[in-house]
Amino acid sequence: MSKRARLERYLDSADLDSIWFARPNSFAWLTGGNNVVDRETDAGVAAVGYDGSDIRIVTNNIEADRIRAEEIPDLEAEDVSFEQFSWHAFSLGEAIAARVADDERAAADIDVPGLERVDSTSLRQPLTEHDIERYRQLSGQTASAVESVCRELRADDSEHEVASALRVALSARDIEAPVVLVGGSERAQQYRHYTPTEAELGDYALVSVTTERAGLHASCTRTVAFDPPSWLEDRHAVAARVETTALAATQAAATEGGTAGDVFEAIQHAYDALGYDGEWEHHHQGGAAGFAGREWIATPDHEADVTAPMAYAWNPTVQGAKSEGTVLVTEDEIEPLTSTERWPTTTARAVDDELELERPAVLGLEE
């Protein structure tokens, strides 16, 4: 179903006359562009609206020419109405409100006086074919950037130095990096979110990123070892098996009409079956990816629908080890997106399922 068709169905079901998107992820979903100037704000500098027939973009006079020329690649400019206002006259929310008639019912993904609030997460699922092709490119380039940095690591590198190298490698590929985590051997065992510090990597390191381009987000983790503890390979293998179990359960749920809670139950069972009862309580396990780092994060009894085709990023951890990648799940296929042919792999078998996947293994490097 096209994005316009989804919007038309939503307008009908919610009895709305128009819907407006100003948050960066939903603006990108509909336009393919970026409305961000200041990353500390929830809303961008432009909003896109749809009333069942026409697409309208509202922005201030500072941004109008640039948005029209550079930030609507998925729309035909001649089919879009551009409406600008003086930068000092209104906020973006006020400008949206001024374009909704008194007798209209409208909704927006930011707070706008007189408008209802909409959570656009469900509208962004499942992915379109155009989204999927763009996703493949982003994910492959993300993995290549991360792996290129990881191959050059040394035990005495600091976490900060590695994080800086990652941002440079990603930026060179026109990729933003909203999340960069680097955990050396000491901190990776202490924390599940190893935000970079001046600590040296030591015996091994976990490197995790979530990247973004054109609104889409890709996540992956790589493990590099210099003089690893004896348990690292085993814990990494367990995490990879839990991840594979989650993907098998995801495909089953998408095919049979299951929920995020169903997948989470399979994750819990996998930890138990592999001898790590309760390990899931120390870190969230991931969920659907797309136009957010996670469109939703699975929890026990979570009722979010599991859709296909859709990207999923499950990220199980076992103290000091982690397996994470962005994977396209359809009813017929499971396609790892953040995988390359230039990194060692390990075969991971799902618990109580026949699915086997090649997942990134621990890369051994000399100290």
Side-chain angles (χ1 to χ4, degrees), residues 93-142:
E94 291 168 339
I96 294 172
R99 284 156 177 80
V100 176
D102 291 340
D103 61 347
E104 289 184 29
R105 287 193 64 203
D109 64 351
I110 61 171
D111 289 330
V112 176
L115 272 65
E116 299 177 24
R117 187 70 180 263
V118 60
D119 180 355
S120 53
T121 300
S122 61
L123 285 168
R124 300 193 298 260
Q125 303 175 65
L127 298 171
T128 66
E129 286 300 320
H130 183 56
D131 293 335
I132 290 170
E133 184 53 41
R134 188 177 281 166
Y135 226 142
R136 289 189 176 110
Q137 295 173 10
L138 168 65
S139 298
Q141 291 173 13
T142 292

Side-chain angles (χ1 to χ4, degrees), residues 282-357:
H282 300 295
H283 187 232
H284 79 76
Q285 302 300 301
F291 286 87
R294 300 292 187 274
E295 293 283 10
W296 47 256
I297 291 175
T299 58
D301 302 318
H302 194 164
E303 295 183 356
D305 292 333
V306 177
T307 62
M310 192 64 192
Y312 292 88
W314 299 105
N315 47 255
T317 60
V318 178
Q319 185 179 15
K322 181 178 183 180
S323 186
E324 176 186 30
T326 303
V327 178
L328 177 67
V329 176
T330 71
E331 292 187 1
D332 303 316
E333 186 178 7
I334 294 177
E335 177 187 347
L337 299 179
T338 49
S339 295
T340 72
E341 296 179 355
R342 300 177 298 280
W343 191 269
T345 62
T346 182
T347 302
R349 179 175 55 82
V351 173
D352 296 337
D353 192 276
E354 296 180 356
L355 179 66
E356 291 186 347
L357 293 174

